[in-house]
Amino acid sequence: RDKIPVTVDEAVTNAIKHGNKFQEDKQVTIDVSMNTDRIKIVVVDEGEGFDVRSVPDPTDPVNFLKPSGRGILFMNIGMDEVRYNEKGNILTLIKYRVSPHNGNKN
C-alpha cells in the first residue's frame, strides 16, 4: 500500500513531462476505482504516446547515472499490473489486496 502514492506520482509526472511535454493546453486525466479486492488507477495524457519497449533498461549499468528513466521500473515494482494502451498514452495501474503473484496481502 505504501508504494501506491509513489507509483501514482511517477505516472502523473510522466504524463505531464513526457506525454504532454509540459504543454499547458493539454490535460492529464486520472480515474481511480476501488473495491474490496483492488485499486485501479488510469492515467491518460493528450500526448502522442510512446512504445514502452523503447525505454532504456534502468537496471543496465549504462543507465544508472541518468537523471530519469526509472519511473516505469518503480511502477512495475509497486503495482501488480501495469498496462499501456497501443498508442502509449493511457496507463492502467492495478494493485490487488491479495497479490496474484505470491498470494500475500499487500
Side-chain angles (χ1 to χ4, degrees):
R1 291 181 192 151
D2 58 331
K3 294 177 183 122
I4 294 172
V6 172
T7 303
V8 172
D9 183 58
E10 284 293 333
V12 172
T13 299
N14 283 351
I16 293 167
K17 181 178 178 181
H18 301 293
N20 289 349
K21 302 194 184 322
F22 295 109
Q23 294 176 338
E24 293 182 16
D25 61 324
K26 293 187 177 182
Q27 295 186 357
V28 172
T29 304
I30 305 162
D31 181 59
V32 178
S33 61
M34 295 185 335
N35 61 33
T36 57
D37 296 321
R38 59 112 180 107
I39 182 169
K40 177 180 176 183
I41 303 147
V42 179
V43 180
V44 181
D45 66 62
E46 295 181 344
E48 297 175 6
F50 78 110
D51 182 354
V52 70
R53 296 170 298 197
S54 69
V55 176
D57 179 2
T59 63
D60 184 331
V62 173
N63 298 319
F64 281 172
L65 299 178
K66 290 185 177 178
S68 65
R70 288 170 284 286
I72 295 172
L73 175 65
F74 291 150
M75 287 185 259
N76 282 310
I77 290 170
M79 303 303 277
D80 294 312
E81 293 182 35
V82 177
R83 297 188 307 249
Y84 289 89
N85 68 333
E86 188 174 321
K87 181 179 175 183
N89 71 323
I90 300 175
L91 169 63
T92 301
L93 303 164
I94 299 175
K95 183 71 173 174
Y96 296 99
R97 188 171 63 86
V98 177
S99 174
H101 304 298
N102 60 20
N104 295 330
K105 288 188 176 188
N106 294 308

